[in-house]
């Protein structure tokens, strides 16, 4: 993995760098050139690793310590300014990990890094996207096909056969009109969360899970580029992960945390806890 640059930092929660023994592998993508609101997501992989050193890693509900799981942290991708280059680089690393039988866990970076991860996997899987936005614009800003606001649109043009978006509440009219033509995307809005588990249970086959931190209410995750009131609580999302993180999952990411606008590292800590929860659910069940 010649694109990786090991950070001069401890690994996430003290995980090994030994990829051979790992079933899941964490990689950071310090990229935010497609951000259109408040840049700063490129600092998230580093900050999440830093705050993880001071968090408890034992899950009393499942009786598992995340730091003892067969997982590795291989560092960060070298930074690239071109969105297309970032997609290409992430795809290359994810493809290599997947072919080696490892489940990639990606720490963003803005949401466009998800597109790279999706392109690195063999086609024919479903996407679960926790997000305050649909990210289904064709161009944003005008003339730009690759940005954090076009991820789902580009994903549906390629590797993703169907998608469920959970928590969306900031949506453009353009996206609604476009979605009327795409019957393979379903949206669970915050006001219809009573049916979310039923919707998630309809998915079969392989699944990729992406969490945009703005899916949370800003009181839970203030450090995001585009905060949107009315979001999920941490407990709500953690419970939903118990429904989907199983042997069907081929990849997982957490994106859009922005340490530059965070408050007391609340958002970075939430990212770290989500990664721990997802690793435990996938590897220790």
């Amino acid at each position: 993995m010649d694109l990786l640059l090991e950070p001069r930092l401890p690994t996430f929660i003290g995980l090994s760098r030994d990829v051979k023994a790992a079933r899941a592998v964490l990689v950071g993508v310090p990229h935010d050139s497609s951000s259109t609101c408040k840049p700063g997501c490129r600092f998230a992989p580093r900050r999440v690793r830093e705050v993880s050193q001071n968090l408890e890693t034992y899950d009393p509900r499942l009786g598992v310590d995340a730091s003892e799981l067969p997982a590795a942290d291989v560092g960060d991708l070298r930074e690239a300014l071109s969105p297309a280059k970032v997609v290409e680089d992430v795809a290359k690393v994810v493809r290599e990990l997947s072919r080696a039988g490892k489940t990639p866990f990606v720490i963003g970076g803005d949401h466009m890094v998800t597109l790279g991860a999706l392109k690195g996997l063999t086609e024919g899987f479903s996407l679960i996207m926790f997000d305050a936005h649909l990210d289904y614009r064709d161009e944003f800003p005008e003339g730009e096909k690759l940005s954090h606001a076009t991820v789902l649109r580009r994903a549906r043009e390629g590797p993703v056969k169907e998608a469920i978006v959970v928590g969306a509440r900031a949506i453009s009219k353009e996206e609604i009109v476009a979605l009327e033509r795409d019957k393979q995307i379903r949206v669970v809005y915050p006001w219809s969360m009573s049916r979310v588990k039923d919707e998630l249970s309809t998915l079969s086959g392989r699944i990729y899970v992406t969490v945009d931190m703005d899916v949370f209410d800003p009181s839970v995750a203030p450090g995001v580029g585009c905060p949107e009131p009315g979001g999920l609580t941490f407990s709500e999302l953690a419970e939903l992960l118990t429904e989907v993180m199983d042997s069907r999952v081929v990849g997982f990411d957490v994106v859009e945390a922005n340490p530059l606008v965070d408050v007391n590292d609340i958002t970075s800590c939430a990212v770290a806890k989500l990664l721990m929860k997802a690793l435990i659910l996938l590897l220790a069940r």
Side-chain angles (χ1 to χ4, degrees):
M1 288 182 282
D2 58 329
L3 295 169
L4 292 172
L5 179 66
E6 291 185 357
R8 290 173 302 211
L9 292 169
T11 58
F12 178 72
I13 60 172
L15 292 177
S16 168
R17 295 195 191 279
D18 183 8
V19 176
K20 290 183 180 179
R23 289 169 50 203
V25 176
L26 278 73
V27 57
V29 186
H31 171 79
D32 61 8
S33 72
S34 83
S35 295
T36 55
C37 187
K38 299 170 185 171
C41 295
R42 65 186 181 277
F43 299 110
R46 178 189 183 97
R47 191 60 190 146
V48 168
R49 288 188 179 96
E50 289 173 338
V51 302
S52 78
Q53 307 305 309
N54 297 314
L55 297 176
E56 296 291 352
T57 56
Y58 181 75
D59 187 319
R61 181 177 180 181
L62 298 174
V64 178
D65 195 311
S67 66
E68 299 173 354
L69 294 169
D73 180 355
V74 293
D76 289 350
L77 266 68
R78 293 183 175 88
E79 291 190 53
L81 295 179
S82 162
K85 175 65 170 154
V86 172
V87 170
E88 177 186 335
D89 289 351
V90 176
K92 181 177 179 180
V93 171
V94 167
R95 186 177 302 114
E96 186 173 344
L97 290 172
S98 182
R99 287 176 176 173
K102 318 298 181 182
T103 304
F105 274 60
V106 179
I107 312 172
D110 67 42
H111 211 164
M112 201 196 64
V113 306
T114 299
L115 183 61
L118 298 175
K119 287 181 174 291
L121 299 168
T122 306
E123 293 193 12
F125 55 89
S126 301
L127 175 68
I128 299 174
M129 187 170 90
F130 297 98
D131 201 325
H133 309 85
L134 290 180
D135 295 348
Y136 198 71
R137 294 177 185 266
D138 187 40
E139 298 178 353
F140 192 84
E142 186 176 353
E144 181 55 68
K145 292 282 190 178
L146 291 177
S147 86
H148 66 106
T150 68
V151 173
L152 185 55
R153 188 72 160 260
R154 300 288 86 84
R156 281 288 296 129
E157 293 170 354
V160 173
K161 65 177 183 178
E162 63 176 331
I164 295 178
V165 183
V166 179
R169 55 198 184 277
I171 301 164
S172 69
K173 184 177 180 180
E174 169 203 339
E175 290 172 302
I176 292 297
V177 171
L179 277 177
E180 291 175 353
R181 299 190 296 267
D182 190 340
K183 304 304 182 184
Q184 299 306 311
I185 296 178
R186 287 168 283 161
V187 183
V188 181
Y189 299 102
W191 51 88
S192 57
M193 288 295 289
S194 60
R195 64 182 180 85
V196 64
K197 291 186 178 181
D198 288 338
E199 288 286 357
L200 293 175
S201 68
T202 64
L203 294 177
S204 60
R206 307 186 315 149
I207 295 171
Y208 186 97
V209 181
T210 177
V211 179
D212 184 323
M213 290 300 291
D214 65 25
V215 73
F216 290 113
D217 190 82
S219 61
V220 178
V224 297
C226 302
E228 187 67 32
L232 277 62
T233 67
F234 188 90
S235 295
E236 286 174 330
L237 182 49
E239 185 64 28
L240 291 176
L241 287 182
T242 66
E243 300 291 320
V244 299
M245 293 301 299
D246 55 36
S247 60
R248 298 171 297 167
V249 172
V250 295
F252 179 87
D253 70 51
V254 185
V255 297
E256 294 287 347
N258 186 342
L260 296 187
V261 295
D262 203 2
V263 179
N264 198 29
D265 289 322
I266 291 174
T267 311
S268 295
C269 288
V271 173
K273 281 294 187 178
L274 279 177
L275 288 168
M276 283 189 255
K277 173 68 72 173
L279 284 169
I280 288 172
L281 291 170
L282 183 68
L283 300 178
R285 276 180 156 175

